[in-house]
Amino acid sequence: MSFRPFPTLKKANTLHTKRQVLSYITKEDVAKKVFDEIAPKYADRNGGYTRIYKIGPRRGDAAEMAVIELV
């Protein structure tokens, strides 16, 4: 499955898109929240659902860190 943001999948609102989300998010209560609360907020948005801030390397193992925020 090629990854599409969940609000984009919700715009189609078909059984197929619900199954795609459930294949990626395995907890049904979380998937329900995506469809009922999160996706309607982004219904009129054409894209750009997230904002990513790079915050530099983590102390200890120097892994690159980032903060991902829903816009």
Side-chain angles (χ1 to χ4, degrees):
M1 171 176 122
S2 63
F3 179 73
R4 291 189 338 196
F6 297 126
T8 302
L9 286 172
K10 175 59 175 127
K11 286 182 184 179
N13 198 16
T14 63
L15 180 61
H16 178 66
T17 58
K18 289 178 183 179
R19 287 180 175 165
Q20 281 184 311
V21 170
L22 283 170
S23 72
Y24 192 78
I25 300 176
T26 55
K27 294 186 177 184
E28 289 186 25
D29 57 333
V30 175
K32 182 170 175 40
K33 184 172 183 174
V34 167
F35 279 99
D36 295 342
E37 297 176 22
I38 297 172
K41 293 179 186 176
Y42 299 100
D44 59 343
R45 194 170 180 94
N46 291 327
Y49 304 111
T50 58
R51 183 178 295 138
I52 302 172
Y53 297 109
K54 293 184 180 182
I55 58 174
R58 178 171 53 198
R59 289 183 61 189
D61 63 356
E64 287 294 326
M65 299 293 291
V67 174
I68 300 175
E69 173 184 24
L70 289 173
V71 178

